[in-house]
Amino acid sequence: MTNHLNDLEKAFNDARSQFSKSAAQTYKRLNRELQTLIKRGNRSAARVKSLRQRAQAQAERTARTGTRAAKQQMKKLEKMLADARDELRITQEDKRRVRQLVNDARTYFIKATHTEKAFASLEKKWDKTFGGKKKPARKKKAAKKKPATRKKAAKKKVAKRKVAKKKAATRRKPATKKKAAGKKKSAAKRRPARKKTAAKKRPASRKKAASKKRASRKRA
């Protein structure tokens, strides 16, 4: 018994959704057809107006000249005007008929829309009262972490800058030493050269004593 009721409820819901869907599709299709007929009727009315003006001008020309060619042209214009009027009449009849269908379809579409809204609110109440199946809670999407490549690239840039600064500092230091050495050399050049001290002369007494010793050695 309960299975039968379940099948009936399912069929009812399917029919309800089918009714709403068909009402919306029918209303849209008829509305498009009505817009097409309105445009066609406007074109037919403009054609009728143009042919009427041409027929009036041709009637005046025919009455003035009375030639056979003017009469034939007048008959041709009258036939074209009659056809254009028939087309306009048929278009207007179709437009009235389709407009009535559009009004009816709009009524069904409004009913279907209100029906869906009413059943949606009733279903919420029924779920609260009879404990309907709760819809699973949506999982919150975790915030996407920014790729670590940017941080690594920034760290690499900082490290490169530090290395470049160290290299620049090491290149500048020997230059200062060279400058200091150059300054020392220039200072050394500027100092006056020391005079060589003259060798002290030995006294003459020592020379005489030494010569005597050499002579005594030779004699011996």
Side-chain angles (χ1 to χ4, degrees), residues 152-211:
K152 289 181 180 179
K155 288 181 180 179
K156 286 181 180 180
K157 286 182 179 180
V158 173
K160 286 181 179 180
R161 287 176 183 174
K162 288 181 179 179
V163 172
K165 286 181 180 179
K166 287 181 181 179
K167 287 182 178 180
T170 52
R171 287 175 182 173
R172 289 171 186 172
K173 284 179 181 179
T176 54
K177 289 181 179 179
K178 288 180 180 179
K179 288 180 180 179
K183 287 180 180 179
K184 287 180 180 179
K185 286 181 181 180
S186 60
K189 288 180 180 179
R190 289 173 186 172
R191 289 177 185 174
R194 293 180 182 177
K195 294 181 180 180
K196 293 181 180 180
T197 55
K200 294 180 179 180
K201 294 181 179 180
R202 293 180 181 179
S205 58
R206 288 183 181 179
K207 288 184 179 181
K208 288 180 180 181
S211 62

Side-chain angles (χ1 to χ4, degrees), residues 29-45:
R29 181 175 58 80
L30 290 172
N31 194 23
R32 285 196 299 269
E33 187 176 351
L34 178 62
Q35 297 301 323
T36 303
L37 288 171
I38 289 171
K39 291 179 182 179
R40 188 187 300 170
N42 293 334
R43 287 196 299 268
S44 298

Side-chain angles (χ1 to χ4, degrees), residues 125-137:
K125 290 180 182 179
W126 291 340
D127 291 339
K128 288 180 181 179
T129 305
F130 302 106
K133 294 181 181 179
K134 295 182 179 179
K135 295 181 180 180

Side-chain angles (χ1 to χ4, degrees), residues 38-71:
I38 289 171
K39 291 179 182 179
R40 188 187 300 170
N42 293 334
R43 287 196 299 268
S44 298
R47 189 163 179 267
V48 168
K49 184 179 179 180
S50 175
L51 288 171
R52 189 188 298 117
Q53 291 175 357
R54 289 175 60 187
Q56 289 176 358
Q58 187 64 32
E60 292 176 359
R61 193 179 300 111
T62 304
R64 187 174 60 253
T65 58
T67 59
R68 186 176 179 181
K71 291 179 181 179

Side-chain angles (χ1 to χ4, degrees), residues 56-195:
Q56 289 176 358
Q58 187 64 32
E60 292 176 359
R61 193 179 300 111
T62 304
R64 187 174 60 253
T65 58
T67 59
R68 186 176 179 181
K71 291 179 181 179
Q72 288 179 354
Q73 185 67 22
M74 185 61 195
K75 288 181 181 179
K76 185 177 180 181
L77 286 172
E78 286 177 352
K79 186 179 180 180
M80 291 171 65
L81 181 59
D83 293 340
R85 283 174 177 170
D86 291 338
E87 184 180 356
L88 179 60
R89 179 179 53 79
I90 293 168
T91 304
Q92 287 177 349
E93 289 177 358
D94 292 341
K95 189 169 62 175
R96 283 193 293 269
R97 179 179 55 81
V98 173
R99 182 175 279 115
Q100 184 61 39
L101 292 174
V102 168
N103 292 332
D104 295 339
R106 186 187 291 111
T107 303
Y108 283 109
F109 177 68
I110 292 169
K111 286 181 181 179
T113 304
H114 287 296
T115 302
E116 284 297 320
K117 289 181 180 178
F119 270 100
S121 62
L122 282 174
E123 283 176 351
K124 287 181 181 179
K125 290 180 182 179
W126 291 340
D127 291 339
K128 288 180 181 179
T129 305
F130 302 106
K133 294 181 181 179
K134 295 182 179 179
K135 295 181 180 180
R138 293 181 180 178
K139 294 181 180 179
K140 293 182 178 180
K141 293 183 180 179
K144 293 183 179 180
K145 294 181 179 180
K146 294 182 179 180
T149 53
R150 293 181 180 178
K151 292 183 179 179
K152 289 181 180 179
K155 288 181 180 179
K156 286 181 180 180
K157 286 182 179 180
V158 173
K160 286 181 179 180
R161 287 176 183 174
K162 288 181 179 179
V163 172
K165 286 181 180 179
K166 287 181 181 179
K167 287 182 178 180
T170 52
R171 287 175 182 173
R172 289 171 186 172
K173 284 179 181 179
T176 54
K177 289 181 179 179
K178 288 180 180 179
K179 288 180 180 179
K183 287 180 180 179
K184 287 180 180 179
K185 286 181 181 180
S186 60
K189 288 180 180 179
R190 289 173 186 172
R191 289 177 185 174
R194 293 180 182 177
K195 294 181 180 180

